[in-house]
Amino acid sequence: YQRRDRGSCEKERTVSITMPFSDPNIPNKLYFCRELNFVPDLINAYEDTLNEGFDLLAVPLVHPRYQRDSAGSEYRDEPFTRSDLLLNSGQWSSSVVGKVSPWIDPDSAVAETRLASEKALLQELQWGSHLSISAAILPTPRQSCANYARVINQVVQAGIPYMQLWMRIPTWAPSDSAIETDTWQTWNRFRMMCEHHSSLSVALELTADLPSEALLRRWVGEPVKALIIPTSVFITNKKGYPVLSKRHQQFVVCMFRYKVNVVLRGRIRHEEGAAAYMQYIKYIFQKQPPFSQADWFEHPYLDYLQAPLQPLMDNLESQTYETFEKDPVKYAQYEKAVHQALLDRAAPDSTTVLMVVGAGRGPLVRASLRASESANRKLRIYAVEKNPNAVVTLRNMRRDEGWGEKVTIVSCDMRTWQAPELADILVSELLGSFGDNELSPECLDGAQRFLKPDGISIPCQYISYLVPITSSKLWNDVKAYQDLTHFETAYVVKLHNVHLLSEYQPVFEFIHPNKDAQPDNRRYKVMKFTIPQGGTLHGFGGYFDSQLYKDVHISIYPPTFSEGMFSWFPIYFPIRHPQCLAAGAELEVHFWRNCSAHKVWYEWAVSGPFASPVHNPNGRSYWIGM
């Protein structure tokens, strides 16, 4: 569609506005930005860039060759940059990204240059904030960047509510440059000195040479807002069109998952203009695998912190039940487990007593009845549910689906129910994201009193797993609460903008039925993780793998993940202070599961190579109520 803009001379101009590129099989949109080094006529550049199909225009905030001194420049009669009246406020805020002058070097050894750079940097960022632009691209810092970080810290602490700062970081630097070859180290040092401020992000610039895959993977845990692709990085294929090498292409496709803006910079080297480059980027954007049903379900929850359920303390709502019941995998696995257990345990002419503890709105009852039919075995089911609202659904279901005498609805807490007979099979879905964090051990230990001595528990085992992670996004979301409590709370979250620092390790294991004379569900585990490439520790990701019966499992543990299952997301345990870990470091982690008469809680701490506080002592911030 067309939009009429009015320039500084009140002359009407026609600008074609293109919508961000999208694919119906992928929820993310692709935004294109054109970076220009010199813009003598902003209105024409704005019009031409948008007419070419770009969504954004990156332009210098001040002429890049206009170097100001450390005193007196602001008293000149001439303006130091173009007028804000050239575009209206909506155009500045929605279509323009500012570029800070490349000559600015706050860490220069020359005092005059350093002072002039500090002044110019503040001046340009204040001007960008005045324009209400969405982002400003900062020059790449030196290896020693303390003064640069100090100035940026002043800016973000003072508050720039509408403007993000994108730090230009190349993917690789030659050994004779002012920054480190491993450019992530430069970025990490800078953002550590700025206390991981959420206004500071990365504009990652592709270089002709790329580092190893392991080093590139670290960027997936960082706040990369833009991927700058110079035209010089493209090569020409047999048909004369610009393309990327296989390694560059793979990395770009990987970064598409994280909603990066694609910034095209440099001289156009193809006769069809910028369109040839954009068409190729769109082509590889569409090469992403189409989203599955589970992907579409999970997409709104990516990196979204949620408090874990408290199923014993709270009654779930109908909407929550409905979401879990849509899982296409979980109940199929339960049905398979019950089917195998019936074949192993029951003769064709006998009746098996099966108890569903925590029946909810009946999906496990339905799965068990289907298993009974496919196995040709008779069942007598007790559906035990403490939520009186879910019991209404169960009783309606019993009438409408003709369960009759096969199913007895019990409106009671399983911990206090007195069963009229012992069960052959005990079925439950009390698992949480960390396996035991919704009190499955406590519930099933209490319920096994009405299981026959040789009875079967489904599930019969579950193991939790832990891995140290980098995730600037998650840590900053916790930090935004500005209190200790949230740093000592575990969160259910679909991990996405996350980099794994090491291999997974098992944490706690529980087996049912529990044969111990005095069941004790307290646990303590010490783990040592080797950090091969180095990185920043923001916390830990937790998972579980559960054996339902024999070879039938359900799992969110990535090596054994139940494909298509979305009933559980991983769990995130933050740490109060991020720590930088060197390549080859050994990270020693302590995890506790503690119990009292009324609650269960986790505590966690790091003891090497640095020592952290013990998080959540005595369950002061986070616990699961009994």
Side-chain angles (χ1 to χ4, degrees):
Y1 63 94
Q2 302 290 316
R3 182 176 76 193
R4 291 285 179 182
D5 292 326
R6 194 171 295 274
S8 60
C9 297
E10 298 300 317
K11 178 182 176 182
E12 290 194 353
R13 312 179 65 87
T14 302
V15 179
S16 296
I17 305 298
T18 56
M19 302 302 289
F21 181 73
S22 61
D23 185 301
N25 297 314
I26 304 166
N28 295 343
K29 291 181 171 60
L30 178 59
Y31 289 84
F32 283 103
C33 177
R34 179 74 172 111
E35 180 181 349
L36 300 177
N37 290 330
F38 295 95
V39 185
D41 187 333
L42 178 62
I43 296 175
N44 281 333
Y46 174 84
E47 177 185 349
D48 293 343
T49 302
L50 268 62
N51 284 337
E52 286 177 337
F54 289 93
D55 307 288
L56 300 164
L57 174 65
V59 298
L61 289 166
V62 177
H63 194 288
R65 291 181 182 169
Y66 178 37
Q67 296 193 24
R68 284 134 283 163
D69 55 31
S70 60
S73 294
E74 67 269 28
Y75 300 115
R76 296 174 181 171
D77 290 337
E78 315 85 45
F80 76 93
T81 189
R82 63 179 74 83
S83 172
D84 55 351
L85 298 177
L86 293 174
L87 300 176
N88 64 46
S89 59
Q91 293 166 339
W92 283 115
S93 62
S94 64
S95 302
V96 178
V97 172
K99 293 171 55 182
V100 173
S101 298
W103 63 266
I104 289 177
D105 183 8
D107 289 290
S108 172
V110 180
E112 180 65 24
T113 302
R114 183 181 72 251
L115 294 173
S117 294
E118 289 181 21
K119 196 163 194 175
L121 178 57
L122 292 172
Q123 184 184 45
E124 294 190 18
L125 291 178
Q126 288 165 1
W127 178 247
S129 180
H130 168 75
L131 296 174
S132 297
I133 57 176
S134 59
I137 300 177
L138 301 175
T140 306
R142 292 170 174 263
Q143 183 171 342
S144 176
C145 56
N147 195 47
Y148 191 178
R150 180 188 66 85
V151 178
I152 293 300
N153 224 11
Q154 287 181 353
V155 173
V156 296
Q157 295 300 332
I160 43 172
Y162 304 111
M163 188 170 70
Q164 286 281 314
L165 301 181
W166 296 354
M167 178 68 66
R168 187 190 298 269
I169 302 289
T171 52
W172 180 85
S175 57
D176 58 351
S177 67
I179 65 173
E180 294 160 285
T181 300
D182 182 2
T183 56
W184 177 88
Q185 297 286 357
T186 301
W187 154 250
N188 187 56
R189 183 179 300 108
F190 194 98
R191 61 95 175 266
M192 293 285 280
M193 286 190 283
C194 292
E195 296 186 289
H196 286 69
H197 200 282
S198 58
S199 294
L200 188 62
S201 306
V202 177
L204 189 62
E205 183 165 348
L206 286 187
T207 50
D209 295 318
L210 293 176
S212 67
E213 296 299 322
L215 294 182
L216 282 176
R217 277 198 301 272
R218 286 190 299 196
W219 290 110
V220 304
E222 302 297 347
V224 179
K225 299 298 183 183
L227 191 63
I228 302 174
I229 309 180
T231 55
S232 59
V233 168
F234 288 84
I235 56 179
T236 303
N237 67 7
K238 294 179 180 179
K239 295 183 179 180
Y241 286 93
V243 297
L244 294 172
S245 71
K246 187 174 181 181
R247 282 200 70 206
H248 285 86
Q249 182 185 139
Q250 289 173 342
F251 182 64
V252 171
V253 170
C254 171
M255 295 308 294
F256 281 150
R257 297 180 57 217
Y258 304 100
K259 301 180 183 179
V260 295
N261 298 284
V262 173
V263 181
L264 186 68
R265 74 172 294 224
R267 182 170 63 87
I268 299 300
R269 302 162 184 260
H270 195 275
E271 59 184 13
E272 293 186 13
Y277 299 91
M278 295 170 67
Q279 192 59 41
Y280 175 72
I281 297 298
K282 291 176 182 178
Y283 165 72
I284 62 174
F285 180 81
Q286 292 175 304
K287 289 182 68 175
Q288 299 177 82
F291 269 43
S292 65
Q293 179 187 355
D295 292 331
W296 282 105
F297 172 82
E298 294 168 353
H299 187 260
Y301 301 100
L302 298 180
D303 293 327
Y304 179 71
L305 299 176
Q306 302 176 76
L309 294 175
Q310 295 266 10
L312 292 189
M313 291 177 60
D314 306 325
N315 288 326
L316 302 185
E317 298 175 347
S318 179
Q319 184 179 6
T320 305
Y321 284 121
E322 182 179 352
T323 299
F324 293 148
E325 290 162 7
K326 290 178 180 177
D327 195 309
V329 174
K330 175 172 64 173
Y331 297 113
Q333 290 297 94
Y334 267 98
E335 181 180 340
K336 185 177 178 181
V338 174
H339 175 92
Q340 290 190 17
L342 288 172
L343 292 179
D344 289 347
R345 184 171 184 85
D349 56 347
S350 65
T351 298
T352 301
V353 177
L354 182 145
M355 294 180 181
V356 178
V357 289
R361 300 198 312 179
L364 286 181
V365 176
R366 284 172 163 169
S368 299
L369 289 171
R370 290 193 300 269
S372 168
E373 186 175 341
S374 62
N376 194 26
R377 297 294 189 271
K378 297 177 183 178
L379 268 187
R380 183 162 60 253
I381 298 177
Y382 291 88
V384 184
E385 174 55 50
K386 74 174 182 66
N387 184 350
N389 302 308
V391 169
V392 173
T393 307
L394 285 170
R395 286 172 174 161
N396 276 282
M397 199 174 286
R398 179 188 179 194
R399 180 196 62 199
D400 297 341
E401 298 186 9
W403 293 349
E405 298 301 318
K406 288 190 270 187
V407 180
T408 300
I409 311 297
V410 180
S411 180
C412 187
D413 190 318
M414 72 182 78
R415 294 171 293 177
T416 59
W417 180 49
Q418 299 300 317
E421 59 182 322
L422 296 181
D424 298 288
I425 302 174
L426 188 67
V427 183
S428 69
E429 54 171 331
L430 302 168
L431 299 168
S433 296
F434 206 43
D436 59 88
N437 63 295
E438 292 185 12
L439 306 190
S440 180
E442 285 71 23
C443 291
L444 293 184
D445 286 352
Q448 74 181 32
R449 70 185 185 277
F450 39 77
L451 182 66
K452 292 179 180 177
D454 61 344
I456 296 170
S457 176
I458 299 176
C460 61
Q461 180 203 45
Y462 35 94
I463 301 173
S464 54
Y465 293 86
L466 201 73
V467 64
I469 63 172
T470 292
S471 181
S472 180
K473 168 71 168 65
L474 295 181
W475 190 86
N476 268 304
D477 285 352
V478 177
K479 179 186 174 185
Y481 288 104
Q482 299 183 336
D483 62 25
L484 173 64
T485 297
H486 285 84
F487 274 116
E488 296 188 335
T489 299
Y491 300 91
V492 172
V493 57
K494 177 59 180 176
L495 300 178
H496 179 63
N497 197 176
V498 168
H499 171 58
L500 307 185
L501 291 170
S502 187
E503 299 295 326
Y504 308 93
Q505 290 194 28
V507 191
F508 306 137
E509 179 183 16
F510 294 90
I511 295 174
H512 300 287
N514 189 338
K515 302 296 186 182
D516 295 343
Q518 295 292 330
D520 184 354
N521 291 319
R522 293 174 298 175
R523 298 287 189 274
Y524 171 44
K525 184 68 178 285
V526 181
M527 293 156 282
K528 294 183 178 181
F529 297 92
T530 300
I531 312 298
Q533 298 298 333
T536 300
L537 178 69
H538 289 116
F540 305 91
Y543 312 81
F544 79 88
D545 180 299
S546 175
Q547 180 187 8
L548 296 181
Y549 182 71
K550 290 190 172 178
D551 62 344
V552 184
H553 286 247
I554 53 175
S555 173
I556 64 167
Y557 171 49
T560 60
F561 180 70
S562 300
E563 198 64 42
M565 187 175 71
F566 52 73
S567 285
W568 296 276
F569 294 153
I571 196 166
Y572 170 54
F573 295 93
I575 61 169
R576 286 159 59 181
H577 307 291
Q579 295 291 334
C580 188
L581 301 171
E586 186 174 77
L587 179 68
E588 185 169 291
V589 180
H590 301 253
F591 253 75
W592 295 265
R593 185 185 197 268
N594 297 311
C595 309
S596 72
H598 303 291
K599 66 181 184 180
V600 172
W601 70 96
Y602 299 106
E603 298 177 19
W604 60 97
V606 175
S607 62
F610 65 93
S612 78
V614 174
H615 292 64
N616 197 36
N618 204 35
R620 67 182 177 187
S621 299
Y622 160 67
W623 70 92
I624 309 102
M626 301 280 278

